[in-house]
Amino acid sequence: MGSPEIPTADSTPRRALRLGAAFPEVFDAARANAPWAYQRLFDAFGPLVAGYLRGQGAEDPDSMANDVFLRAFTNLATFHGDEGHFRSWLFTIAHHRLVDDRRRRSRRPDVVDRPIPDQRATTDTTEAVIGQRLGDERVASLLSRLSPDQRDVLVLRIVGDLTVEEVAVAVRKRPGAVKALQRRGLAALRRILEAEDGGAEQDS
């Protein structure tokens, strides 16, 4: 089997909207504290957010996703924009929550003894979320071999379907830095794949 195609993100069209024309009505109802609207928003975006957190190795991604939506729902009055902006806003909250979790875990005394997450489960879950966007489950596992900054940018671009500018807001970097991290991350993935393919040829 040949190497999986590495997505370029720049040339890939944005993902289809999940609520489409219904988004303004659903959002306005949620801002008016309608329980059904909260549920519609969670059902539409919850799997994506949880999949992103799980793919990033969050210790309790489902609980963290719930926390992300709690933070979002309690701050709906501060949000203005369409469905694409709302998705970007959710992923920005999720990224900041993930950064907080990483800092907390790094300060834990038992961090060395913590079991390493099952990468196969992480790959499977992330693959289920992004579907055919990556094309091959190997790419999801390869992402874990990048630097944290490169992985953050690529996962937000591919899983979150965010633009360079939206990622820049989420990770608090300049768009130029995001583009550079994306280029270096994709180049690193290609080098890893070339090294693996070279080793496979020598073994055959």
Side-chain angles (χ1 to χ4, degrees):
M1 184 179 70
S3 300
E5 181 181 354
I6 301 297
T8 63
D10 288 323
S11 59
T12 307
R14 298 297 295 272
R15 182 176 289 113
L17 298 178
R18 290 180 167 255
L19 293 176
F23 175 78
E25 177 185 358
V26 174
F27 180 81
D28 288 344
R31 193 149 53 180
N33 295 319
W36 68 267
Y38 288 139
Q39 190 63 48
R40 283 285 300 278
L41 290 173
F42 186 82
D43 290 344
F45 300 102
L48 283 176
V49 172
Y52 162 72
L53 294 169
R54 192 169 285 113
Q56 287 279 46
E59 193 170 39
D60 190 349
D62 293 326
S63 176
M64 194 180 296
N66 289 337
D67 186 47
V68 168
F69 277 88
L70 178 61
R71 294 186 184 192
F73 290 159
T74 56
N75 290 280
L76 288 179
T78 68
F79 173 80
H80 301 281
D82 58 18
E83 181 176 346
H85 293 121
F86 182 74
R87 180 182 56 213
S88 173
W89 187 54
L90 284 176
F91 274 93
T92 298
I93 296 173
H95 178 74
H96 292 166
R97 179 66 179 82
L98 180 67
V99 170
D100 290 341
D101 183 64
R102 287 172 177 168
R103 289 172 179 165
R104 177 186 60 81
R105 289 164 61 181
S106 70
R107 292 193 295 266
R108 282 198 333 203
D110 61 343
V111 65
V112 176
D113 298 327
R114 187 179 68 251
I116 298 174
D118 187 342
Q119 182 61 44
R120 292 172 300 176
T122 298
T123 298
D124 291 343
T125 305
T126 304
E127 190 69 18
V129 173
I130 62 179
Q132 295 180 350
R133 179 60 86 95
L134 291 183
D136 191 301
E137 67 179 11
R138 284 181 64 207
V139 178
S141 64
L142 289 170
L143 288 172
S144 67
R145 300 168 64 178
L146 301 178
S147 72
D149 283 347
Q150 292 171 355
R151 183 174 64 248
D152 286 344
V153 166
L154 286 183
V155 176
L156 283 169
R157 289 282 281 139
I158 298 169
V159 181
D161 202 30
L162 273 58
T163 65
V164 168
E165 291 73 19
E166 291 166 345
V167 173
V169 172
V171 300
R172 296 174 179 172
K173 296 182 183 296
R174 295 182 181 276
V178 169
K179 291 180 180 179
L181 285 167
Q182 178 178 311
R183 286 195 301 269
R184 289 198 292 268
L186 292 173
L189 287 178
R190 293 191 182 98
R191 287 194 297 271
I192 293 170
L193 289 172
E194 290 171 358
E196 289 184 350
D197 289 345
E201 291 176 0
Q202 290 178 4
D203 293 338
S204 60

